[in-house]
Amino acid sequence: MSAVVGVDLALIVLLVALAWWILAARDAFAAIAGFVAYGLVLMLAWMRLAGPDVALTEGAIGSGLSGLMLFGAAARLRRKGHEAATASPSAGTAMRVGVGLLCAGVVAALAAIVLELPEPAPTLAPQAAASLGATRLGNPVTGVLLAYRALDTLLEKVVLFLALIGVWSLAPDRAWGGAPRIPSVESHGALRLLAQVLPPFGILVGIHMVWNGADAPGGAFPGSAVLAAMWMLALAAGLTRLPAVSCRRLRTAIIIGPAVFLLVAFAGFGLAGAFLAYPDGWAKPLIVAIELPLILSIAVILTLLIAGPPETEVRP
Amino acid sequence: MSRILDILTVLLIVAGVFFFLAGTVGLLRFPDPLTRLHALTKADNLGLGLIVLALLPRVAWPFDALKLIAVWLFALLASATVGQLVGRIAHEKGLDS
């Protein structure tokens, strides 16, 4: 028992130390490396809290994809010579003290709330588990995400879609309709080999995570993140190129997930009497029908979010 | 029999942790990128391999055990590739002399 407490304490100390490192690091790349490590340790912390679904999402999205996005942003800033501007603190002492006090206040308020929670903490878990049989799902997390609170999940996908529109709208006029670019290391044997060997396994793992999500930890988001990572690997190795954003097939892939979700949601009015309601006995097949196009859309959107706005000029 | 397996697991994990420790010390102490990469391979190849080996008798055969071995092989593949990339960039920038 004491060994387990020791591991938990070590995790907490590591998390606080890494959080400090992210704030204190002078160089943007060092801070982002700390952020990625922080995400991985946070993943272990979620495992210790018995939340494998959250841990998988934290590892795939919070650490992996967000880290990649931040590295890309830092590289872009460095290319454009903004490094000096980001590294030197421009805020005055009063501002820094103010921000510090505000953060300390938020931490104190959160700590007070957590310590004031009644014991045992209020929970809807028993109700969620009790009704799970009706959906024929084995994983209560998937039940919450796609049956009880499907509206939240639907809006989450729409937000992702809006974020992509936001990124694309940053494109200069001459590049509109062109292709975004993930910087690739041309003619590098080792990366090329990895990009040829890994994707078959990665695609299998990604689909396995989504399919398994019905009965075990996994789900659409981490699964799609793995698929997106495989595509990005092939792009970074120069094996393939991103299509232009005006490509109709690409746009179909982006909207098909949210579109099918909306279609099923509206069909709920006719079939089960409410928006996003599933008819009796149809919950599981409908959820699978929603998830399959959804992983395609999420994987494509995540890759395009990393790739950034279109850069190449459109050939007339 | 299970006692022997327990002792084997503990010994292999201790050996694995030793290689992780050695790799980390090397990463922190060695002077240039190529020797630091050389230190890291101790952790990935041997450390992780020994820990996987230690856990093999404790999981269900075949699927869980094969998954553990696959994790080790993927870590080897990824670290070998990243090692090549970092090594080449260090070489091109002249950091290896």
Side-chain angles (χ1 to χ4, degrees):
Chain A
M1 187 60 203
S2 61
V4 172
V5 173
V7 170
D8 288 353
L9 274 178
L11 275 179
I12 292 168
V13 170
L14 256 180
L15 276 175
V16 174
L18 280 168
W20 179 254
W21 168 259
I22 297 169
L23 291 177
R26 286 273 157 193
D27 177 50
F29 277 96
I32 299 165
F35 175 80
V36 171
Y38 177 82
L40 291 176
V41 178
L42 198 57
M43 192 175 165
L44 291 178
W46 277 116
M47 284 309 290
R48 288 289 307 135
L49 291 169
D53 291 86
V54 191
L56 278 174
T57 310
E58 173 60 40
I61 309 275
S63 181
L65 280 179
S66 307
L68 202 55
M69 209 178 274
L70 289 172
F71 272 124
R76 242 171 244 245
L77 283 176
R78 180 172 282 188
R79 261 208 311 281
K80 292 186 175 156
H82 290 279
E83 183 66 22
T86 53
S88 68
S90 52
T93 314
M95 182 70 162
R96 295 175 133 213
V97 171
V99 170
L101 284 178
L102 197 65
C103 291
V106 171
V107 170
L110 278 176
I113 291 169
V114 168
L115 292 175
E116 285 299 306
L117 280 179
E119 198 66 48
T123 175
L124 290 171
Q127 284 102 308
S131 311
L132 201 61
T135 62
R136 295 204 209 151
L137 295 167
N139 182 5
V141 175
T142 304
V144 170
L145 287 180
L146 282 163
Y148 311 138
R149 299 295 305 167
L151 185 62
D152 296 357
T153 311
L154 174 61
L155 293 177
E156 206 175 275
K157 303 305 170 284
V158 176
V159 164
L160 212 53
F161 177 62
L162 291 177
L164 182 63
I165 293 177
V167 168
W168 281 4
S169 67
L170 294 173
D173 278 348
R174 60 180 170 74
W176 177 249
R181 210 172 52 83
I182 283 184
S184 67
V185 194
E186 297 288 346
S187 73
H188 195 293
L191 190 63
R192 205 167 255 267
L193 179 71
L194 185 72
Q196 281 165 339
V197 172
L198 204 56
F201 299 104
I203 291 168
L204 190 69
V205 169
I207 292 174
H208 172 77
M209 278 166 102
V210 178
W211 184 252
N212 233 19
D215 297 314
F221 242 107
S224 325
V226 173
L227 294 181
M230 291 306 118
W231 194 13
M232 277 180 257
L233 182 60
L235 288 165
L239 292 181
T240 170
R241 275 171 205 284
L242 279 171
V245 298
S246 55
C247 170
R248 200 156 287 276
R249 268 168 55 199
L250 184 77
R251 293 191 176 186
T252 312
I254 290 167
I255 58 163
I256 190 158
V260 169
F261 207 152
L262 272 178
L263 206 69
V264 173
F266 277 107
F269 274 127
L271 297 171
F275 185 70
L276 263 177
Y278 308 126
D280 276 344
W282 280 84
K284 176 90 186 258
L286 277 177
I287 286 173
V288 170
I290 290 173
E291 277 206 317
L292 288 181
L294 214 48
I295 57 167
L296 177 69
S297 292
I298 300 176
V300 171
I301 291 178
L302 289 177
T303 308
L304 290 171
L305 281 177
I306 300 275
E311 281 179 15
T312 56
E313 294 198 30
V314 199
R315 270 160 300 192
Chain B
M1 185 59 193
S2 74
R3 176 62 59 86
I4 296 173
L5 281 180
D6 283 354
I7 292 172
L8 195 67
T9 297
V10 170
L11 284 179
L12 285 171
I13 284 188
V14 168
V17 168
F18 169 77
F19 281 109
F20 266 98
L21 197 68
T24 310
V25 169
L27 181 68
L28 294 174
R29 301 292 300 168
F30 282 161
D32 61 87
L34 291 191
T35 46
R36 284 202 284 267
L37 280 177
H38 165 74
L40 269 186
T41 51
K42 306 290 165 294
D44 287 334
N45 301 7
L46 271 168
L48 188 61
L50 285 168
I51 286 174
V52 164
L53 204 59
L55 296 177
L56 279 185
R58 319 189 77 81
V59 297
W61 184 262
F63 287 116
D64 289 352
L66 288 178
K67 271 185 202 165
L68 275 180
I69 295 171
V71 165
W72 180 53
L73 290 177
F74 283 132
L76 282 188
L77 187 64
S79 69
T81 309
V82 173
Q84 286 279 329
L85 287 174
V86 176
R88 171 173 291 214
I89 290 169
H91 182 64
E92 281 169 0
K93 290 198 170 177
L95 296 171
D96 56 341
S97 53

